Amino acid sequence: MSVQPVSGTDVRVRILDIAANAFMQRGFSATTIDDIADEVGATKGLIYYHFRSKFDIFLAVYEEGMRRVSARVAPLSDRPGSGRERLAAMSIAHLENLMTDLGYHNVIHQGVREQTSAALKAHHRDQLLALNELRSDYETLFGNVVSDGMADGSLRVSDRRLVTRTLLSNLNAVDMWYHPVSGQGHDDIRSLATKIVDILIGGIAGDSSTENPVDSEGDGTR
């Protein structure tokens, strides 16, 4: 039986997948090229064949993470439906991507936090700021759909920017507590994502409740 050769593209993607999880678990500073090479099952030479430095790997993980989530979410922004329906579909797709590509999302968050770090070299900071423009474009995609919802009456909001940033911040915060469960399939992930989006967009307050939730429990200390 012949052995199928592994293409350079496949190797590069495997390096990025491994690096994303390594950066998430250990942090960028504590992760070494040796760590990545060991987990890939390759030599350091192979890693350096594809990337000049660890920071270049970090940037590539960031860019690939944005490419993947954008490819999944962007087509939903202009499909038929109200602004609210499209915003919910985009949010669910965002969470599905986050839960399946958790390491990539974590690296994006690290990149946003580190863009003003004094420890970064000037050219590294410039590269990171350029990638953060991709994230700004992604935020604009959500903002445009929020505007559509405001215009068609499906969203009762008055501040597009505040709503967009609050929604995305809450979606992204899921990576702080979500952990993959053995045997969890796509349907399970989609179900969880749908429940979270229903809370964020649908809300948790009753439509006609006039009861003060603090006063209803006496002194509110329970």
Side-chain angles (χ1 to χ4, degrees), residues 13 23 26 28 45 78 98 113 136 145 155-156 171 193 211:
V13 170
F23 292 146
R26 303 184 184 96
F28 174 78
D78 57 2
L98 181 151
R113 290 193 300 269
S136 296
V145 176
L155 294 173
R156 294 185 298 168
L171 292 174
E211 184 179 72

Side-chain angles (χ1 to χ4, degrees), residues 37-93:
D38 287 346
E39 292 187 42
V40 170
T43 64
K44 287 173 64 174
L46 180 64
I47 306 299
Y48 282 121
Y49 175 80
H50 290 277
F51 300 98
R52 291 178 298 177
S53 68
K54 184 175 72 169
F55 194 78
D56 283 334
I57 298 175
F58 182 88
L59 293 175
V61 170
Y62 188 133
E63 185 171 15
E64 176 66 9
M66 287 304 310
R67 186 197 67 77
R68 291 185 185 187
V69 70
S70 296
R72 195 162 187 169
V73 171
L76 302 174
S77 66
D78 57 2
R79 75 174 194 177
S82 68
R84 175 171 173 163
E85 289 169 341
R86 285 181 283 136
L87 188 66
M90 291 165 67
S91 299
I92 290 170

Side-chain angles (χ1 to χ4, degrees), residues 203-215:
I204 61 175
D207 291 336
S208 59
S209 174
T210 57
E211 184 179 72
N212 186 311
V214 175
D215 291 344

Side-chain angles (χ1 to χ4, degrees), residues 5-220:
V6 179
S7 72
T9 300
D10 290 339
V11 171
R12 189 178 190 278
V13 170
R14 177 160 173 75
I15 291 171
L16 294 182
D17 288 345
I18 294 294
N21 288 326
F23 292 146
M24 176 178 66
Q25 293 166 4
R26 303 184 184 96
F28 174 78
S29 296
T31 301
T32 67
I33 293 291
D34 284 317
D35 293 330
I36 296 171
D38 287 346
E39 292 187 42
V40 170
T43 64
K44 287 173 64 174
L46 180 64
I47 306 299
Y48 282 121
Y49 175 80
H50 290 277
F51 300 98
R52 291 178 298 177
S53 68
K54 184 175 72 169
F55 194 78
D56 283 334
I57 298 175
F58 182 88
L59 293 175
V61 170
Y62 188 133
E63 185 171 15
E64 176 66 9
M66 287 304 310
R67 186 197 67 77
R68 291 185 185 187
V69 70
S70 296
R72 195 162 187 169
V73 171
L76 302 174
S77 66
D78 57 2
R79 75 174 194 177
S82 68
R84 175 171 173 163
E85 289 169 341
R86 285 181 283 136
L87 188 66
M90 291 165 67
S91 299
I92 290 170
H94 179 94
L95 283 178
E96 288 178 311
N97 176 266
L98 181 151
M99 293 178 194
T100 54
D101 278 339
L102 200 56
Y104 282 90
H105 276 263
N106 186 274
V107 166
I108 292 170
H109 298 166
Q110 289 185 49
V112 172
R113 290 193 300 269
E114 293 299 319
Q115 63 181 326
T116 58
S117 172
L120 282 180
K121 296 178 181 178
H123 68 282
H124 284 166
R125 185 179 297 107
D126 290 342
Q127 290 173 298
L128 197 51
L129 287 171
L131 279 180
N132 280 333
E133 287 299 313
L134 296 177
R135 185 174 173 275
S136 296
D137 292 343
Y138 186 73
E139 180 180 308
T140 298
L141 195 69
F142 276 78
N144 290 340
V145 176
V146 169
S147 292
D148 291 344
M150 293 167 65
D152 65 25
S154 61
L155 294 173
R156 294 185 298 168
V157 299
S158 59
D159 190 325
R160 160 185 157 152
R161 186 179 185 189
L162 178 62
V163 168
T164 302
R165 290 193 166 181
T166 300
L167 174 61
L168 283 171
S169 294
N170 279 278
L171 292 174
N172 290 329
V174 170
D175 76 352
M176 297 179 64
W177 55 262
Y178 173 76
H179 297 284
V181 177
S182 178
Q184 188 178 46
H186 176 263
D187 289 344
D188 300 313
I189 290 174
R190 183 169 184 81
S191 176
L192 177 57
T194 301
K195 290 176 182 178
I196 294 169
V197 171
D198 184 57
I199 292 170
L200 295 178
I201 295 181
I204 61 175
D207 291 336
S208 59
S209 174
T210 57
E211 184 179 72
N212 186 311
V214 175
D215 291 344
S216 66
E217 295 295 336
D219 62 3

